[in-house]
């Protein structure tokens, strides 16, 4: 889909705005990243958007919103020990260097911290991977820009890990199906889905839509960042960690391949 000349100029301004640095010390905590006062992007997916995705991810308003979401979600820190309450002063000191590292492809995500959560079945555990709080901000920033792009591709019958959708919506859809004459509801789960994701397949699916290779590379780095478990580093050539802000969206992107 082509972009109109005026639309292109608007998006140029959208991207250029984050280059104008303003000291975070002069802002409230929610404005640790400079806030771009611009027109919201439309819901139309354009080649320009997907080709320049990293620039949109690194917009100050997007990063600021990512920080606020991580702050709201709280949670324990990752392998570096930094907690959510320590995130603000760190970002105030390091935001420019951090953004530059990501932009130039030099940023290296940290391994996630392995946490095992007991399942309902006795003796079974769900393996979670807790990213550092800084990595959570970056992952959240990626997810915020990827979500509206891929929402256009998801099935109307998909309800998990999607904005403004949830279990109650799924139940209402089941009720509608019953009213339409269907008599069966199948409840099933994918065993060890996150642990067995084929990373190359996921990257292939992402690359069909995302044409900015810098974003694909950054996501791949997160997939390959590894796990720290019992003080030992484990490589992650298969699967993706369940526990970061990006993983639920990536799971939906991969699972949409099986919709029929």
């Amino acid at each position: 889909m082509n972009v109109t000349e005026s639309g292109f100029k608007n998006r140029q301004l959208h991207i250029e705005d984050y280059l104008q640095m303003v000291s975070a010390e002069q802002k409230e905590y929610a404005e640790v990243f400079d806030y771009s006062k611009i027109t919201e992007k439309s819901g139309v997916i354009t080649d320009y958007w997907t080709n320049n995705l990293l620039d949109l991810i690194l917009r100050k308003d997007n990063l600021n919103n990512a920080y606020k979401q991580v702050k709201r979600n709280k949670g324990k820190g990752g392998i570096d020990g930094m907690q959510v309450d320590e995130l603000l002063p760190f970002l105030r000191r390091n935001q420019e260097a951090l953004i530059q590292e990501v932009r130039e492809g030099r940023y290296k995500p940290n391994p996630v911290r392995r946490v095992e959560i007991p399942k309902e079945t006795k003796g079974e555990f769900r393996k979670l991977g807790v990213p550092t709080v800084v990595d959570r901000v970056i992952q959240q920033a990626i997810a915020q820009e990827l979500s509206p792009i891929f929402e256009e591709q998801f099935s109307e019958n998909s309800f998990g890990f999607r904005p403004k959708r949830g279990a109650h919506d799924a139940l209402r859809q089941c009720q509608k199906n019953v009213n339409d004459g269907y008599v069966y509801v199948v409840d099933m789960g994918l065993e060890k889905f996150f642990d067995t994701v084929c990373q190359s397949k996921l990257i292939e699916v992402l690359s069909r839509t995302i044409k900015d290779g810098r974003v694909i590379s950054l996501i791949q780095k997160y997939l390959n960042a590894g796990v720290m478990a019992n003080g030992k580093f484990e490589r992650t050539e298969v699967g993706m960690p369940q526990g970061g802000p990006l993983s639920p969206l990536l799971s939906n992107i991969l699972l949409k391949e099986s919709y029929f």
Side-chain angles (χ1 to χ4, degrees), residues 28 70 89 94 100 131 156 174 183 208 213 251 254 257:
E28 298 292 336
V70 170
N94 299 284
Q100 196 65 21
E156 283 298 314
C174 288
V183 294
R208 294 177 197 165
S251 69
L254 185 58
E257 295 295 293

Side-chain angles (χ1 to χ4, degrees), residues 52-55 57 142 146 210 212-220:
N52 298 274
L53 187 58
L54 186 64
D55 297 314
I57 289 169
I142 297 171
L146 258 60
I210 303 305
D212 190 334
R214 300 170 298 174
V215 176
I216 297 296
S217 176
L218 182 57
I219 292 174
Q220 197 158 26

Side-chain angles (χ1 to χ4, degrees), residues 199-200 203 206 215-225:
Q199 295 182 4
S200 60
I203 293 300
L206 287 169
V215 176
I216 297 296
S217 176
L218 182 57
I219 292 174
Q220 197 158 26
K221 286 179 181 178
Y222 274 111
L223 295 174
N224 297 147

